[in-house]
Amino acid sequence: MATRPPFMAVVVQLLAFAAATGAFYLPGAAPHNFVKGEQVPLFVNALTPMLTGTDNAKLKSLINYDYYNPKFQFCEPEGGPKKQPESLGSILFGDRIFDSPYDIKMLEENGTCRTLCVKQGVTGEDAKFINDRIREDYALNWLIDGLPAAEMKLDTRNGDLFFDMGFNLGNDEGKFQEQPALNNHYEIVLRYHSPAPGNYRVVGVLVWPSSIGGPQDGPATCDTENASPLLLTEDQTHTIRYSYRVTWNESDTPWATRWDNYLKIFDPRIHWFSLINSLVIVVFLCIMVSMILLRSVSRDISRYNAIDLSEDVQEDWGWKLVHGEVFRTPRRPMILSVLVGNGAQLCAMVGVTLVFALLGFLSPSNRGSLATVMMICWTFFGGVGGYLSSRVYASLGGTDRRKNAFVTATVLPTVIFAVVFLLNLFLLGAGSSGAVPFGTMLLIILLWYGISAPLSAVGAYYGSRHGAVQHPVRVNQIPRQIPPTPKYLRPAAAALLAGILPFGAAFVELYFVLSSLFASRAYYAFGFLALTAGIVGLTTATVSILFTYFCLCAEEYRWHWRAFLTGGGSAFWLLAYGLFFWASRLSLHSMSSAVLYLGYLFLLVLLDFLVTGTIGFLASYWAVRRLYSAIRID
Ligand SMILES: *[C@@H]1O[C@H](CO)[C@@H](O)[C@H](O)[C@H]1NC(C)=O
Ligand SMILES: *[C@@H]1O[C@H](CO)[C@@H](O)[C@H](O)[C@H]1NC(C)=O
């Protein structure tokens, strides 16, 4: 044990050193130097619904489609599209990356108009499918050297230009209102930076899509100015000519900062102002609550101890009265300890992932790295969950340790798996590419049941060896009568009241998190996120301790479950906010999208409930032990 801290310190230092010297790159993070004439591959990702620029735009769908879905009729490379390798997190977050027939060579064919292919026999049925997707604001997602192709947009709030990832499949606004126009021409502007003569790096990918109608079988004109739009009527068979033009433009953006333009999507001032605002309020409240608590508790303690010393016959009152009850086994200790164990596993996962993100290991080039790190952390923190669950279970007076270990290891993965499986069925039904592939499902089963569950069992073994936590006061033989409790201390009311504060600290950041989860926008404000997570943890702990104290003062000694519920109260507000987000930011047309949204929201709320509930429970447990070890009991 003694050698562990120095060892960890060495590892952290090595990682920090490696990151600082740039000697150490995660896959996808190392610069690729191209020479003139070298092939620059263009990869295509699934089509996603996009929030179009304006501030009150609503997302119309949540379903991704494969680029090579036959109904889109996009040009395919010779010999059929080939799937590109992807990380686990990338697959889970809906990336489906394939190669493409675009022929791009470094600094060659600058400004040449080229035909990609001419697609014949696009049926009316396909045209309807395409038109529907255009109406739902679907966007194409291309990747060149790890950079997403973006549209350059003007931020109306501060006049900055920024890159909005993805570009429109078509256009159904303005002059073509009555019928959507398909974009069949792409102006691709590749920005390159030359760190040394003869070496070129891609530092920006911009695409201006446009619709060129008229006869589709002659050579491409790329004349975007005078073209009429390409409208696909739904009762005819069409021919579509796809064309593109690549322009190489030198840029002084170095490779290291090439992502900055993409990540400017949200004005950082919004983060700052709102976050500082809520931080100040919440920190102030936390300090106030802790001070009130500390003062009244220390007053209570000195009074209790003084009464005992003077052997006054005066009756005990307040929380001291229930000293013989506070550590009485609560109802259903099994479920409570399993929830706490799983919550602790999730807490550890969130904490470590945030540290990774803060250290800058989760490069946006490395697609899905956030989700991958989360999955791996969760898997390997199985031991934490098992250990805590079994110790809490023993401390609560539970006896069936094997069952506890088994349930801790299996229930949460099974619930999540079942939900994901159901959502998958809906995705498959909707013909979406977002369904998790079979191989990935198997991998997840292997991770959870093959690694996490055994680790959890090992943790449970050590937990039961360490046994129950010693309690400072003994439990009476006969339970006390509980007087009627005030309304605001009833479990549901307490949970709702207590949940407001942590939710209030988080809801600004929550907007960005939900937008990036559902509207596939980049989220890299990890500093803000970590700060918010810390504040939420702190607030949850403080508020749960406060409510537990109130409960005990009201002689309501069944605090275990209440502590968990008041801690997890913010999950209710998260659910309400999720529904509000749906009403205000989404206008989902299909039933599958609605089911998907509710399914993901349910998972999010469940995980939040477990994490904050665990924080509330553990904090209250700690506080109750401190409280009752401070007084003298005869
Ligand atoms: C490509 O053409 C554009 C204008 O058409 C020009 O600004 C740019 O410098 C050219 N790039 C190269 C590498 O010649
Ligand atoms: C290339 O860069 C120049 C200036 O850096 C800019 O004026 C021009 O519009 C760019 N060309 C394209 C096609 O974006």
Side-chain angles (χ1 to χ4, degrees):
M1 283 301 282
T3 60
R4 200 168 288 166
F7 172 71
M8 283 306 290
V10 169
V11 169
V12 168
Q13 269 179 3
L14 273 181
L15 286 180
F17 176 73
T21 55
F24 174 77
Y25 283 110
L26 292 164
H32 185 125
N33 289 320
F34 291 90
V35 295
K36 189 167 185 303
E38 186 177 344
Q39 185 81 32
V40 181
L42 187 157
F43 295 118
V44 292
N45 201 347
L47 276 81
T48 53
M50 172 159 95
L51 269 178
T52 47
T54 50
D55 279 341
N56 50 12
K58 292 186 173 187
L59 200 63
K60 297 185 182 130
S61 171
L62 290 177
I63 294 175
N64 297 356
Y65 290 99
D66 250 346
Y67 185 85
Y68 291 113
N69 187 321
K71 289 194 170 142
F72 281 122
Q73 300 277 4
F74 286 127
C75 308
E76 296 188 5
E78 264 174 61
K82 277 185 234 33
K83 197 147 182 25
Q84 302 301 309
E86 290 173 53
S87 71
L88 175 61
S90 168
I91 296 175
L92 286 180
F93 269 50
D95 285 346
R96 301 287 180 270
I97 303 176
F98 292 91
D99 63 351
S100 76
Y102 290 88
D103 174 36
I104 302 176
K105 296 204 170 71
M106 183 51 88
L107 294 182
E108 286 189 357
E109 307 253 15
N110 187 27
T112 315
C113 176
R114 298 158 86 185
T115 305
L116 185 64
C117 77
V118 177
K119 269 277 176 186
Q120 261 145 0
V122 178
T123 63
E125 202 184 319
D126 296 338
K128 179 171 178 349
F129 179 81
I130 295 174
N131 286 343
D132 285 345
R133 300 292 85 77
I134 296 175
R135 288 195 189 97
E136 289 173 342
D137 295 328
Y138 270 78
L140 268 65
N141 295 289
W142 289 356
L143 291 166
I144 294 183
D145 190 29
L147 277 182
E151 268 184 299
M152 202 185 321
K153 291 194 173 153
L154 184 73
D155 190 334
T156 46
R157 286 162 305 200
N158 53 14
D160 283 352
L161 289 174
F162 68 98
F163 292 5
D164 198 5
M165 287 185 210
F167 54 90
N168 293 98
L169 168 67
N171 190 338
D172 71 338
E173 281 162 16
K175 50 185 168 165
F176 329 120
Q177 194 70 58
E178 60 291 356
Q179 231 206 320
L182 174 70
N183 291 331
N184 59 343
H185 173 73
Y186 309 108
E187 288 287 336
I188 306 171
V189 176
L190 292 170
R191 298 189 164 182
Y192 65 93
H193 177 74
S194 179
N199 263 345
Y200 305 97
R201 292 169 173 178
V202 178
V203 294
V205 181
L206 290 167
V207 176
W208 276 271
S210 54
S211 184
I212 298 184
Q216 296 288 307
D217 23 28
T221 56
C222 299
D223 180 7
T224 55
E225 311 272 291
N226 307 316
S228 59
L230 174 64
L231 306 179
L232 299 180
T233 43
E234 295 172 10
D235 50 6
Q236 271 173 296
T237 302
H238 297 267
T239 300
I240 305 176
R241 179 186 56 217
Y242 284 96
S243 55
Y244 66 108
R245 176 157 59 191
V246 179
T247 310
W248 292 96
N249 219 354
E250 180 140 31
S251 158
D252 27 345
T253 311
W255 195 86
T257 60
R258 64 179 192 155
W259 273 94
D260 290 2
N261 285 324
Y262 290 88
L263 304 181
K264 257 192 222 153
I265 289 193
F266 300 118
D267 187 353
R269 282 177 303 182
I270 300 182
H271 282 288
W272 276 119
F273 285 139
S274 323
L275 193 67
I276 288 177
N277 200 12
S278 59
L279 274 191
V280 168
I281 296 174
V282 165
V283 168
F284 178 71
L285 279 176
C286 274
I287 292 175
M288 218 171 66
V289 163
S290 338
M291 273 181 31
I292 294 174
L293 211 54
L294 276 183
R295 283 184 58 179
S296 51
V297 166
S298 58
R299 197 190 54 217
D300 293 348
I301 289 175
S302 56
R303 215 184 308 178
Y304 290 154
N305 288 347
I307 289 168
D308 284 349
L309 280 179
S310 64
E311 286 175 35
D312 204 321
V313 280
Q314 194 184 338
E315 282 244 323
D316 281 348
W317 49 273
W319 52 265
K320 195 187 174 187
L321 266 182
V322 291
H323 68 77
E325 315 290 336
V326 276
F327 294 112
R328 187 179 294 289
T329 301
R331 292 170 67 190
R332 310 200 183 281
M334 174 72 84
I335 300 180
L336 184 57
S337 57
V338 167
L339 292 182
V340 171
N342 278 310
Q345 185 175 350
L346 288 169
C347 281
M349 172 193 88
V350 172
V352 171
T353 309
L354 280 177
V355 168
F356 264 93
L358 280 179
L359 290 178
F361 286 131
L362 306 183
S363 147
S365 297
N366 204 354
R367 295 183 74 83
S369 51
L370 179 70
T372 310
V373 168
M374 281 169 83
M375 292 292 291
I376 291 177
C377 282
W378 192 24
T379 305
F380 285 98
F381 285 132
V384 175
Y387 180 84
L388 243 124
S389 173
S390 90
R391 284 205 77 181
V392 167
Y393 184 64
S395 310
L396 296 182
T399 47
D400 196 349
R401 288 180 187 170
R402 277 158 195 260
K403 188 173 166 198
N404 174 61
F406 178 76
V407 176
T408 306
T410 52
V411 161
L412 185 61
T414 308
V415 168
I416 295 183
F417 201 81
V419 173
V420 171
F421 189 79
L422 277 180
L423 293 183
N424 243 8
L425 292 185
F426 271 93
L427 283 169
L428 285 176
S432 163
S433 68
V436 182
F438 183 68
T440 312
M441 282 283 200
L442 277 185
L443 179 64
I444 294 176
I445 291 184
L446 189 74
L447 278 181
W448 286 355
Y449 298 98
I451 300 179
S452 181
L455 280 178
S456 174
V458 171
Y461 171 74
Y462 280 103
S464 60
R465 285 246 317 243
H466 287 176
V469 178
Q470 289 303 311
H471 292 144
V473 285
R474 236 181 278 140
V475 175
N476 289 346
Q477 291 281 315
I478 302 159
R480 271 178 69 92
Q481 284 277 325
I482 304 169
T485 37
K487 280 207 177 65
Y488 74 96
L489 286 181
R490 306 243 170 94
L496 285 188
L497 274 177
I500 291 179
L501 224 50
F503 172 75
F507 90 96
V508 176
E509 225 37 39
L510 208 54
Y511 171 75
F512 297 110
V513 172
L514 288 184
S515 301
S516 68
L517 269 183
F518 293 112
S520 48
R521 299 209 135 168
Y523 184 90
Y524 279 91
F526 287 121
F528 292 106
L529 191 63
L531 211 60
T532 309
I535 290 291
V536 168
L538 199 71
T539 328
T540 306
T542 321
V543 169
S544 312
I545 294 175
L546 185 73
F547 271 83
T548 304
Y549 174 75
F550 286 159
C551 261
L552 295 178
C553 285
E555 296 172 38
E556 166 62 90
Y557 56 79
R558 297 170 301 182
W559 60 273
H560 295 89
W561 272 104
R562 281 158 205 263
F564 195 92
L565 288 179
T566 44
S570 55
F572 170 81
W573 294 101
L574 176 62
L575 179 65
Y577 186 75
L579 296 179
F580 169 74
F581 186 84
W582 185 4
S584 65
R585 305 297 295 175
L586 310 176
S587 92
L588 303 178
H589 290 318
S590 67
M591 152 97 171
S592 326
S593 290
V595 171
L596 269 185
Y597 183 75
L598 288 180
Y600 290 135
L601 188 64
F602 168 75
L603 284 184
L604 208 63
V605 167
L606 177 69
L607 300 187
D608 176 60
F609 179 67
L610 288 179
V611 168
T612 50
T614 300
I615 293 176
F617 176 79
L618 291 179
S620 300
Y621 206 102
W622 171 84
V624 168
R625 291 194 59 220
R626 285 292 301 267
L627 200 58
Y628 285 90
S629 49
I631 52 167
R632 294 172 353 108
I633 314 263
D634 313 304

